Amino acid sequence: MENAEFRRHRRLRRTAGIRSSVRETHLRTEDFIYPLFVVEGKNVKNEVASMPGVYHRSLDLLNGEVDEAVERGIQSIILFGLPDEKDDVGSCAYDTNGIVQRATRQIKASHPELTVIADTCLCQFTDHGHCGVVEDGNILNDESLALLAKTAVSQAEAGADIIAPSNMMDGFVSAIRAGLDQAGYEDIPIMSYAVKYASAFYGPFRDAANSSPKSGDRKTYQMDPANRREAFREAQSDVDEGADFLIVKPALSYLDIIRDIRDRHDLPIVAYNVSGEYAMVKAAAQNGWIDEKEVVLEKLTSMKRAGADMILTYFAKDAAAWLNESN
């Protein structure tokens, strides 16, 4: 057609080579943070019913899984621990010989180059399932901060490379930063769950972490899913208090928030591809309704495109394998 009055955009899509050369967003194995659930006992490898492919593992079976992740190019993991005993203040969270602390020491001994991130919260360790101290049904903010700082210091002492507080108490970054600095861990960064919504997508995780609240919910400290501007305030507070990374959780239904935070802050942004987002894809794939590989890589790419630098995802090991196949 001569003198066409339209642009031929398809020229840049004509071959796989051309499409690859003009691709704007790229997934890399080093973008992924792989979550691991560690439990007490021996020879424990129990699949989480609502999260096919995700397991509770005891320490004696942990190294094999970590070895495989490293072989696939994963450079960062995050540890969630399930203790045998719980109490009202989550004392196992800051126990020197707690499950997360022992897992950290074990992993760093075999893979010193691997970045070990410690989830810093109390909900898995408290008998009431909340992320702080509870009194007369109220989650006490300031009283919880000291315990969270104590937990962070114990995790750093065990060798954690990054502390990732997920509790959403006001001032938690400031309290943890002060605690780490006073204990001599000025160089340990904080990956803050800065923007964490009270989401219905967390259900499978609460099964995996045995962390459902025994009463009430977490809506008094996690954010309302309807709110956008509140995310700006939360993120800014954590930046002002000394956060080094900002997490947005969940990811898939909050891509707009990821972009908003990316546009406002130059810190590394982490998208948390949460358990419910994982479980939905797994269920659809098992029923033959979708191509799991293609859907997973597309949705992870969408998180990078929205502005995430890193992605915390239960698909990390599989996604790394798929990316390695295409290279």
Side-chain angles (χ1 to χ4, degrees), residues 88-279:
D88 60 348
V89 292
S91 59
C92 285
Y94 44 85
D95 187 333
T96 301
N97 291 312
I99 186 65
V100 170
Q101 288 79 356
R102 281 182 285 137
T104 300
R105 289 192 290 267
Q106 178 175 310
I107 293 169
K108 293 302 290 186
S110 60
H111 292 285
E113 78 291 347
L114 183 66
T115 298
V116 175
I117 304 166
D119 178 78
T120 307
C121 198
L122 301 178
C123 60
Q124 298 106 286
F125 303 92
T126 55
D127 52 16
H128 46 72
H130 280 289
C131 303
V133 177
V134 176
E135 185 177 290
D136 298 327
N138 296 316
I139 294 83
L140 304 182
N141 191 90
D142 295 8
E143 291 80 353
S144 301
L145 297 179
L147 298 183
L148 293 165
K150 192 174 181 180
T151 300
V153 170
S154 75
Q155 293 169 337
E157 288 175 344
D161 298 289
I162 298 174
I163 298 301
S166 57
N167 54 88
M168 288 298 284
M169 296 295 111
D170 290 338
F172 69 96
V173 173
S174 179
I176 289 172
R177 183 72 272 158
L180 290 171
D181 291 353
Q182 289 168 10
Y185 296 105
E186 298 93 344
D187 293 334
I188 298 296
I190 296 175
M191 181 180 285
S192 171
Y193 286 66
V195 180
K196 182 178 179 180
Y197 286 90
S199 172
F201 285 99
Y202 301 155
F205 174 88
R206 291 174 182 172
D207 291 341
N210 190 22
S211 62
S212 296
K214 295 297 186 293
S215 62
D217 54 41
R218 297 185 177 136
K219 293 182 180 179
T220 64
Y221 46 104
Q222 294 178 2
M223 293 169 51
D224 186 336
N227 289 357
R228 175 172 175 256
R229 295 191 303 273
E230 184 181 6
F232 309 159
R233 299 195 297 272
E234 286 282 1
Q236 186 62 59
S237 290
D238 288 4
V239 171
D240 293 342
E241 292 174 21
D244 301 283
F245 302 78
L246 301 174
I247 297 177
V248 177
K249 178 183 181 183
L252 195 58
S253 293
Y254 297 83
L255 296 176
D256 59 323
I257 304 300
I258 294 173
R259 171 47 57 187
D260 284 333
I261 301 303
R262 168 78 290 149
D263 288 345
R264 285 166 172 76
H265 300 286
D266 58 6
L267 293 179
I269 306 299
V270 182
Y272 193 147
N273 179 208
V274 300
S275 59
E277 298 167 348
Y278 173 89

Side-chain angles (χ1 to χ4, degrees), residues 12-13 15-26 326:
L12 300 185
R13 305 171 194 152
T15 68
I18 294 174
R19 291 193 298 273
S20 177
S21 67
V22 299
R23 187 162 295 137
E24 300 172 23
T25 304
H26 297 272
S326 63

